[in-house]
């Protein structure tokens, strides 16, 4: 129950879905959580849930993708909990369309949240860790099977998620000298994001995981969280620059 005792963790997009799952799992392990979301009610609801189980959490409302939000995340962590050890760049959206129909707006929205957001948040947290000589910093990025294999209708999302892999590998090399480990996971789980896929392709996706993945299951957020707890902990000090699929084996895409 104490694997993250005294650790301060910022999780973006933690008001729902996978991010909420990470927040609850990490709070149960003793971490203090900065719960970010651009939907205030969602973030505040997760904070209430964590406090109801005697955990530590504070909300930080704001859209990921701006320097203002990145700076606010760090300022909130420092003000409430004194420091920050871990950043989970989880906030994400989809703007699916076939390549020939994709609008510039759909392209730019995805790049802003996933790539610009991951870059800016990481920069802000890492500066704080270096300036204050914080030990055992961790950056955990969220890529996707789409970033590893590509996906029809997701040229924008697949490109951004592949870019996050490049950022993860590059930052892992640059930041090892400060004791910061940088890893990414490629999850698969039923959330609002997958439920928003139109019914026929959604069912095809779920069936594919149920029948063809090695573990034969489309996951739930609770299936993914344990790996994040490990990566956020001090135990993960000899692993960096890795992309870990937490998707029941995704060699099926
Ligand atoms: N669900 C899956 O199977 C799956 C697979 C691969 C990757 N992912 C990735 O996992 C992450 C979480 O996905 P999810 O399925 O939980 O999605 P979700 O839609 O269920 O939850 C995302 C949360 O992020 C918030 N959010 C979105 N954009 C934001 C922004 N700019 N700033 C702050 N908050 C924002 C939303 O309000 C929501 O609460 C995303 O990066 C997604 O791309 C999910």
């Amino acid at each position: 129950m104490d694997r993250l005792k005294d650790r301060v963790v910022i999780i973006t997009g933690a008001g729902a879905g996978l991010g909420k799952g990470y927040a609850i799992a990490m709070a149960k392990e003793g971490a203090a959580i900065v719960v970010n979301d651009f939907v205030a009610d969602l973030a505040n609801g997760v904070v209430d849930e964590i406090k109801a189980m005697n955990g530590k959490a504070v909300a930080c409302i704001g859209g990921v993708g701006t320097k203002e939000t990145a700076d606010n995340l760090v300022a909130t962590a420092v003000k409430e909990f004194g420091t920050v050890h871990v950043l989970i760049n989880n906030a994400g959206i989809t703007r699916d369309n076939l390549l020939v129909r994709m609008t510039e707006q759909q392209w730019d929205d995805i790049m802003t949240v996933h790539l610009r957001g991951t870059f800016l948040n990481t920069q802000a947290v890492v500066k704080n860790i270096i300036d204050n000589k914080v030990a055992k910093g961790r950056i955990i990025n969220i890529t996707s099977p789409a970033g590893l294999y590509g996906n029809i209708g997701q040229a924008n999302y697949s490109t951004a998620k592949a870019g996050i892999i490049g950022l993860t590998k590059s930052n892992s090399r640059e930041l090892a000298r400060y004791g910061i480990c940088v890893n990414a996971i490629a999850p698969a789980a039923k959330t609002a994001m997958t439920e928003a896929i139109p019914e026929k392709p959604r069912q095809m996706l779920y069936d594919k995981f149920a029948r063809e993945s090695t573990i034969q299951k489309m996951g739930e957020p609770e299936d993914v969280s344990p790996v994040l707890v490990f990566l956020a902990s001090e135990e993960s000090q000899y692993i960096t620059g890795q992309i870990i699929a937490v998707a029941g084996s995704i060699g099926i895409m």
Side-chain angles (χ1 to χ4, degrees), residues 49-236:
E49 266 189 60
I50 291 173
K51 286 187 172 165
M53 50 188 218
N54 290 323
K56 287 171 273 181
V58 64
C60 180
I61 314 303
V64 161
T66 68
K67 187 163 183 322
E68 189 190 357
T69 295
D71 289 342
N72 272 342
L73 291 170
V74 175
T76 304
V78 171
K79 180 166 176 269
E80 291 291 323
F81 304 122
T83 188
V84 56
H85 302 92
V86 182
L87 167 68
I88 304 178
N89 283 306
N90 169 76
I93 54 170
T94 49
R95 293 286 183 270
D96 296 353
N97 215 340
L98 293 174
L99 174 71
V100 292
R101 291 189 202 143
M102 189 166 286
T103 65
E104 290 177 55
Q105 193 66 53
Q106 287 173 324
W107 180 269
D108 289 346
D109 285 350
I110 290 294
M111 296 308 151
T112 299
V113 179
H114 291 274
L115 274 183
R116 206 164 188 276
T118 300
F119 157 62
L120 288 170
N121 297 341
T122 303
Q123 190 180 53
V125 168
V126 164
K127 275 184 184 168
N128 191 272
I129 287 177
I130 293 172
D131 288 350
N132 296 293
K133 297 188 169 49
V134 176
K136 302 186 175 165
R138 303 281 185 264
I139 307 294
I140 306 171
N141 294 329
I142 310 299
T143 182
S144 166
L148 292 165
Y149 301 106
N151 199 15
I152 293 170
Q154 292 194 315
N156 51 0
Y157 182 80
S158 301
T159 302
K161 289 303 199 187
I164 285 171
I165 293 174
L167 195 58
T168 303
K169 290 187 177 287
S170 192
N171 288 347
S172 71
R173 289 173 181 264
E174 198 168 313
L175 301 175
R177 76 193 72 169
Y178 304 107
I180 302 172
C181 297
V182 187
N183 292 290
I185 67 146
K190 281 184 204 164
T191 66
M193 183 178 276
T194 58
E195 289 294 310
I197 300 170
E199 192 182 344
K200 205 171 160 199
R202 180 178 73 235
Q203 207 45 58
M204 280 168 63
L205 178 75
Y206 289 176
D207 286 351
K208 199 165 184 146
F209 272 88
R211 279 202 308 265
E212 297 173 34
S213 72
T214 306
I215 294 177
Q216 297 195 318
K217 172 184 175 179
M218 178 67 184
E220 305 289 340
E222 304 77 62
D223 294 312
V224 181
S225 315
V227 179
L228 276 283
V229 169
F230 166 69
L231 289 175
S233 74
E234 296 188 0
E235 295 166 48
S236 63

